[in-house]
Amino acid sequence: MSSIIHSQFDITVLDVIKIQYQKRVLFDYVQSCYTVSYIQKGEVLTTSSEGEYVASAGDVMIHRPNEPFNVISKMEGVHYLFNINAKVKDGDNFFKLFPLGKVIRIRDQSEYERRFDELRSLWLQEEEDFRNVQVGSLAFFLLYEIMESTKLGGRRSSRDPYVTDRFNEALKYMEERLDQEISREELSKLYHMNPVYFSRAFQKIYKLTPMQMLRKLRLQQAKQMLEYTDYTIEHISQRCGYYDASHFSKVFRGEYGRGPAEYRKSIEYTKTNIATP
């Protein structure tokens, strides 16, 4: 008894690379194929139109073609990646028929790494028919491992918890420069991020855009200065980044329900009553 197997899988491997780095920054990077990038060492932040994800050792990142993405790491790392086009059946895109998450935790990392090393070794050899079959088979095996890992719950969602201290550097930067002009673009450069992506990621953590947070920090400082110093309203407004005292008073009133002078008087009244026996 015999069986005839018709292949329904058409795979084209375009490159197989090992990347080692001290720090890594890809900003608005666009490619024409899929990139399957396994993190053997390190941790990265990756952002795209799909959302924002933190990927660490043992995870695979899948970058879609013709969609800009960022990859940022401030630590030493090693990535195993291959660029690929894959089709099944009547030319349908493999990744559309079998949608995978942006970041996936690999179930058997040592086996994945071993198979990748085989793929890399074959890729560096001279081309021949048998070699191409082996390359395609190993690439298919790696895709199979990714799919099986997804079934076991390895798919990572953009709803994964964020590291809440991630933007502490931006907050500190704002707090130290409340009397200066600060833009979203300026803050995003601290993280080598696209300003739009930075603003979205920041807002997901703090429920405020960076500029709304800057306004909040300025008004909080103004409030403290009104409570604990004798500085004039004009001086406080300048120290808090408002060079027009009347505009500062309007913004302060909108936030706290009374103008700076009224607020200071109410604080003084409260302190006096508390101090009076």
Side-chain angles (χ1 to χ4, degrees):
M1 183 176 179
S2 62
S3 298
I4 299 175
I5 301 175
H6 296 284
S7 175
Q8 295 189 7
F9 194 72
D10 179 16
I11 186 168
T12 303
V13 179
L14 304 172
D15 207 354
V16 183
I17 312 170
K18 276 190 179 182
I19 298 176
Q20 185 170 0
Y21 56 85
Q22 295 299 318
K23 293 182 179 180
R24 183 164 171 79
V25 176
L26 290 178
F27 183 68
D28 279 350
Y29 189 75
V30 181
Q31 58 198 358
S32 60
C33 60
Y34 283 87
T35 292
V36 180
S37 181
Y38 171 81
I39 303 176
Q40 193 271 336
K41 178 181 180 180
E43 181 177 277
V44 304
L45 169 72
T46 178
T47 57
S48 70
S49 60
E50 298 176 66
E52 177 180 275
Y53 306 77
V54 176
S56 56
D59 289 339
V60 158
M61 300 181 292
I62 299 180
H63 303 299
R64 274 63 173 173
N66 305 314
E67 293 184 8
F69 65 89
N70 299 336
V71 171
I72 303 166
S73 177
K74 294 185 178 181
M75 65 176 67
E76 182 179 358
V78 178
H79 289 196
Y80 295 176
L81 65 87
F82 59 98
N83 294 329
I84 189 173
N85 284 322
K87 297 180 180 179
V88 295
K89 296 183 178 179
D90 298 320
D92 293 325
N93 189 314
F94 169 84
F95 292 95
K96 289 184 178 179
L97 287 177
F98 303 100
L100 301 170
K102 177 70 174 178
V103 176
I104 299 162
R105 169 66 60 172
I106 296 301
R107 59 175 185 167
D108 189 340
Q109 296 161 25
S110 60
E111 180 66 9
Y112 188 97
E113 292 175 17
R114 186 178 73 82
R115 293 291 189 173
F116 182 92
D117 284 336
E118 290 182 25
L119 174 61
R120 175 66 173 159
S121 178
L122 283 166
W123 182 256
L124 294 175
Q125 297 175 19
E126 293 185 3
E127 289 192 25
E128 58 181 41
D129 291 341
F130 188 62
R131 172 262 197 187
N132 291 339
V133 171
Q134 289 177 302
V135 165
S137 298
L138 285 168
F140 177 77
F141 174 85
L142 294 177
L143 290 177
Y144 173 79
E145 278 298 302
I146 293 169
M147 292 176 65
E148 289 301 301
S149 297
T150 298
K151 291 179 182 178
L152 293 175
R155 181 169 177 166
R156 300 272 291 279
S157 165
S158 62
R159 296 180 181 178
D160 284 354
Y162 287 88
V163 180
T164 55
D165 65 351
R166 185 176 146 214
F167 291 118
N168 273 358
E169 186 179 352
L171 293 175
K172 182 179 178 182
Y173 187 91
M174 286 189 271
E175 288 172 339
E176 292 175 348
R177 297 167 177 80
L178 293 177
D179 61 337
Q180 302 175 22
E181 291 290 336
I182 300 176
S183 67
R184 181 182 67 174
E185 287 71 21
E186 184 178 348
L187 293 170
S188 68
K189 287 180 181 179
L190 297 174
Y191 299 89
H192 306 285
M193 292 177 70
N194 177 286
V196 175
Y197 293 153
F198 167 73
S199 185
R200 288 175 182 170
F202 189 97
Q203 189 170 9
K204 283 184 177 180
I205 293 176
Y206 298 107
K207 311 305 179 187
L208 296 170
T209 68
M211 294 300 96
Q212 289 171 336
M213 177 63 78
L214 178 60
R215 177 180 178 275
K216 180 178 181 178
L217 292 174
R218 283 174 167 164
L219 290 174
Q220 284 180 346
Q221 175 167 289
K223 189 166 172 278
Q224 291 175 0
M225 292 180 73
L226 287 167
E227 292 174 4
Y228 299 108
T229 76
D230 295 325
Y231 291 131
T232 65
I233 303 299
E234 289 74 13
H235 179 82
I236 292 174
S237 67
Q238 291 179 8
R239 285 281 300 272
C240 298
Y242 293 95
Y243 298 99
D244 183 337
S246 62
H247 175 63
F248 163 66
S249 296
K250 181 179 179 180
V251 173
F252 191 94
R253 181 183 296 277
E255 182 71 15
Y256 298 113
R258 62 186 73 181
E262 295 174 83
Y263 180 77
R264 173 173 272 171
K265 285 182 180 179
S266 69
I267 293 298
E268 290 173 350
Y269 177 79
T270 300
K271 289 179 178 177
T272 300
N273 285 346
I274 291 175
T276 302

